[in-house]
Amino acid sequence: MQITTEEIFEEFEQLDPRDQSQYLLELGYDLPRFPPEAKRDCDLVHGCQSQVWLTGSMAESGDDPVLTFQADSDAEIVRGLITILLASYSGLRASEILAFPITDVFDRLRLKQYISPQRHNGLQGMVDRIRTIAAESLAPSVAATVKTKVQDRATADHHSKPASTSIRPFDVDEVRRQFPVLNQILANGRPPVYLDSGASAQKPQVVIDKEREVEEQYFANAYRGRYSFGARIDDELEAARQKIADFIGASASEEVAFVPGATAALNMIAFGWSSGRLQPGDEILITPMEHHANFVPWQQVAHIHGAILKFIPLTEDGRLDLTSLDQLLTRRTKIVAVTGMSNVLGTVTPIRQLSDAAHAVGAVLVVDGAQSVPHMPTDVVADGIDFLAFSGHKVYGPTGIGVLYGRQSLLSEMQPMMFGGHMISRVYSDHSEWAPPPARFEAGTLPIVQAIALGTAIDWVQQYGLAAIHAHEQRLLELAATELQSIPNMTIYGPSTEHKGAIVSFRMSDIHPEDLAALFDLNNVFTRHGHHCTMPLHDLLGVSATTRASFAAYNTEAEVRILVDSIREARERLLRHSS
Ligand code: PMP
């Protein structure tokens, strides 16, 4: 008699975690074995670390037949997993199999704690095979209605996710106290006035502590060992992945790949998505205010494929001019790639409007979220974002880690750009097959400590909520805009504050940004000057460099005033010498 899922649940609940993984092995010992002649290559499931043979047959025929499955593996633990799958699916109709929430079973058994993520990919490979057999056995008329129902369910599941809420009141003094780097006294007897968070944000103590905790207590490589350190690392990594998925409203953690940063993610999307898809004459639509990270890759891809790079124009005040969007988007537009928020003008782009327009012509929308994700809530589903890139170091996390988000169906079609360990499901001497996402995009050893600490940084943000952080930053922005306008010969670039995020870039006609930066440094005012990796935008603005002050949760109104006073002081000193 085949064991039922209820019996498995009951047994699992009575056992402690170590015995639970033993029980998984025992389930494997009890599964009937295939005779050697039944282990056919054509029934092998791809994506498994061990060999798995899986077949299905009809227990009762019809338009929506009842199916049974048989499977075997050369690893006992996998045979245990097979037992769970067979208990879950056997005896169901094909349509019921397609609608069956198998992840609920995995979650209830907390399988992610006992099996490595690579094995989890293998498990997903078996589920995919079972679902394919079910889909293929349905009569076409039934198949169409089943597909719609499954899609409806997925949408309903997404919308029933609880919205994250702020649980800790936002108090800038309390926030600031958590950043050791900001609470030191520098050589001139004053603390730093750090106004360069657009380049990199500082880290709160909890993030620094988390990095230290991993290094000191349980560091090991990821996705390799099942000894306790390795298991802990895998769990922490997957927990971080889930936090990131929730933070950006992704439907599943598998839509989040760990990559070195926004630049890496954007290159992977540009080259990976274009590969085999872009034809000569196809069009890529970007904006003139893109950071080079979301500009140069598309320029390169356009050169390689003979595609045309087009630009959405800017209005006088530095917003996107969407009046001609309908003409700019054509049947040939395959990709629309825009920044969520300009790293110079601060302009916030109307993502939903762009995604609707892009999707209407069959293009995908890529969003460079390097600046927007740290400052305003992002919901990839509600915003209709197909691909999103951002960096950990701008969202209070470590350097060397970033995120490539892609809609599941798109990621599983996208060509990887880095090859090696972990990203494969099977390597033959003459070709290889890729692991499902996200592993496909995570070749080699990940920046493990950084990825885990990024999860902590996201928790840190979530405890206040981005809405509260955004409101605070907007107050600073408004104060800065008002005060800067009172300085002679001052140009502030970009739109009015209601259309922009926590960045203000400016230039005075009589003072070079480089000179200003040198004098700022004397007051510990840390801003950035130059073209900020946006040369085409600076060409449009008609200047080679601007000064940029960018704000984060820990900045104060007092610091904005120090910035303005330092400008006045610098003017006095510099103009005294030049007159
Ligand atoms: N896009 C924008 C808008 C940015 O501001 C930056 C960082 N300055 C990047 C992309 C690149 O991020 P990273 O250097 O972390 O890859």
Side-chain angles (χ1 to χ4, degrees), residues 198-199 261-264 266 291 293-294 339 341-343 368 370-371 391 393-394 548:
T263 302
L266 290 164
H291 186 283
N294 197 35
T339 184
M341 174 178 144
S342 158
N343 66 316
D368 171 2
Q371 295 294 341
S391 295
H393 64 98
K394 294 190 205 273
R548 180 183 78 179

Side-chain angles (χ1 to χ4, degrees), residues 153-196:
R153 224 179 74 91
T155 316
D157 282 354
H158 178 79
H159 288 296
S160 68
K161 270 190 187 174
S164 63
T165 48
S166 158
I167 46 168
R168 195 164 169 176
F170 187 91
D171 166 0
V172 69
D173 296 328
E174 186 266 343
V175 166
R176 194 178 173 88
R177 277 198 292 277
Q178 299 175 51
F179 288 79
V181 78
L182 302 176
N183 288 300
Q184 55 184 322
I185 301 298
L186 301 183
N188 67 356
R190 295 189 221 149
V193 177
Y194 188 75
L195 300 176
D196 197 18

Side-chain angles (χ1 to χ4, degrees), residues 43 68 253 266 278 303 474:
D43 294 328
T68 57
S253 66
L266 290 164
L278 268 194
H303 284 313
Q474 289 304 112

